[in-house]
Each structure stands twice: as structure tokens, then as C-alpha cells.
Amino acid sequence: MTRTTKAAEVAFDETGVKRELAGNTWKVVAGVALAFSTYQLVIAAFSPLSSLVTRSLHVGFLLLLAYLVHPISAKADRHRIAWFDTLFAILAFALAFYHWVFEAELIQRSGDPTATDLVVGTATILLLFEAARRVLGPALPIICGAFLAYGMFGQYLPASIAHRGYGFDQIVGALYLGTEGIYGIPTLVSATYIFLFILFGSFLEHAGMINLFNSIALGFVGHARGGPAKVAVISSGMMGTC
């Protein structure tokens, strides 16, 4: 295996290109991840914030980590964080507080967004698209962009597939200001259940519990016919008891 091939295996995985950080930079990213985990545990234990604010801050933390961990391309330097990535990360996280700071005003003017609402919403959407491209590749942003383009310009298409037309404020409002777009049900589930399962699973993995469950299951039924399937069932059942 050549050095180039090894480098490629390090650079790519199922969640895109990742940086290889060290020193103080790594400590900063680890601190952000720890703050994110702490925030989610507080939300799960005490539910101090409204649903929309909880979702907004959840997405803000995810965008912050996405820009700190994933470089702009595979050719970028993976051993440091570029200045513009730092800027994007801070901006994305700062905009996540918009729903919290102006929560009452946003409720009062629901359906009638101001110019500031539209600017903040547009910036958040663009940052989200770029973060998705870095983490998942270009396919998902292209598909979502095509649907957004249909919403904005669909009235100019042939009558059989055209619609009555939507204003820019309607599109941004649906995506950003309500709970039917970015902050929909999947985001709520991620912010309340999925993250906790992932965090708990990480604790179990580093504590050696997953290997223990697999070893117990292998000891009981690993030698039997259909052993792999039975091991999977038993080890999954042990995880389920937790």
C-alpha cells in the first residue's frame, strides 16, 4: 500500500474529510464538544429552554463543530483550522442565539419577518448548506437546492408543474423561523434523544462495555448454529436493557 493510499484512507470516511489537529487547537475543539455534551445533558435533565430555542442551539453547536472539524476540501491543510473556517464557525454559533435573544419578538411578528430576520435566516441556511457539503458531500445540498429553486422560480415553469409562486420571505420563514424546516421534527429528535443515545454509546464503548456484551454473547451462543445472528440479538438485548 502506497503512502498516497494510506493518506487517502486517513483523509476520508463516511462523514467526509476530517482535520487531524493537535496541541491547543485540538483542546479547543475538544472543549467545544464537551460544552455541546454538557448542554444536551442539561436540556435532557431540566428542559430550561423552549423547543425552538433548544433546536436552534443544537444546530448551532453542530455547525460550530462541522466547520472546526471538516476543512473546505480534501486539498486543504488538515493540520490547522483556516481563518475563514473559524469565522464561519463563530458566525454559525452566534446566529443560533437569535431565536433565544429575540424569542418574544419572533412570536409576536410570526408570519411577518423583518429584514433582519431574513438576513439572519438566509445566512444560517447558507452556512447549513456548506456544512452539509463538507460532512456529507455535494449530493444532498444539490438536491435541497433544486427543491428550493423550484419553490422560488416554479411559477415560471410549464403550467403542468408550475405553482402559484412563493415570496422569498415565505421560503426563509418556512425554513428558518418555524418548526417545519431546519428545526423540524428530525432536529427535535436529534436534540432530545439521538444525541443522548450516541453520547451514552460512546461512554459504553470507552468503558469497554460493548466488548463485554459481545464477549458474553459469544461465550453463550457463538459456537451454536446461527451463532452470529444469536450473538447480535443477545448483545443488542443487553444494550437495550441499559
Side-chain angles (χ1 to χ4, degrees):
M1 184 180 292
T2 65
R3 181 177 299 179
T4 303
T5 304
K6 291 181 179 179
E9 288 183 353
V10 173
F12 294 93
D13 64 9
E14 68 276 7
T15 55
V17 184
K18 291 183 179 179
R19 290 188 170 95
E20 297 176 354
L21 303 174
N24 292 330
T25 306
W26 180 88
K27 292 179 181 178
V28 169
V29 176
V32 171
L34 181 60
F36 189 16
S37 300
T38 303
Y39 163 76
Q40 291 295 159
L41 291 175
V42 171
I43 291 297
F46 305 106
S47 300
L49 303 174
S50 65
S51 177
L52 187 57
V53 174
T54 298
R55 306 180 202 195
S56 178
L57 292 178
H58 178 78
V59 173
F61 269 113
L62 291 174
L63 292 179
L64 176 60
L65 285 172
Y67 282 106
L68 293 179
V69 173
H70 297 273
I72 191 170
S73 68
K75 298 180 180 179
D77 185 358
R78 293 186 289 111
H79 300 286
R80 67 180 184 87
I81 301 176
W83 66 268
F84 52 84
D85 284 338
T86 303
L87 179 63
F88 289 156
I90 295 175
L91 178 61
F93 187 62
L95 293 180
F97 287 85
Y98 190 77
H99 278 286
W100 192 5
V101 175
F102 300 101
E103 182 176 14
E105 290 86 346
L106 290 173
I107 293 174
Q108 291 174 358
R109 61 173 179 262
S110 179
D112 186 24
T114 64
T116 304
D117 296 340
L118 297 179
V119 170
V120 173
T122 302
T124 301
I125 293 169
L126 293 176
L127 289 168
L128 183 62
F129 265 70
E130 171 58 14
R133 183 196 67 81
R134 296 187 184 200
V135 177
L136 301 173
L140 182 61
I142 290 175
I143 293 173
C144 294
F147 278 103
L148 287 180
Y150 175 71
M152 295 183 65
F153 307 110
Q155 64 268 32
Y156 304 112
L157 296 176
S160 59
I161 58 174
H163 55 70
R164 61 181 177 82
Y166 298 96
F168 182 76
D169 58 331
Q170 291 178 290
I171 294 176
V172 174
L175 288 176
Y176 176 72
L177 295 176
T179 57
E180 301 297 329
I182 296 173
Y183 307 120
I185 297 299
T187 302
L188 176 63
V189 175
S190 175
T192 53
Y193 297 107
I194 294 177
F195 187 93
L196 295 178
F197 274 108
I198 294 174
L199 183 63
F200 181 64
S202 180
F203 282 139
L204 286 182
E205 180 180 5
H206 285 81
M209 291 296 294
I210 294 179
N211 289 332
L212 175 62
F213 290 160
N214 288 335
S215 297
I216 292 174
L218 281 170
F220 277 118
V221 297
H223 59 280
R225 178 179 296 180
K230 295 175 182 177
V231 168
V233 172
I234 294 176
S235 57
S236 297
M238 290 181 177
M239 278 293 296
T241 62
C242 298

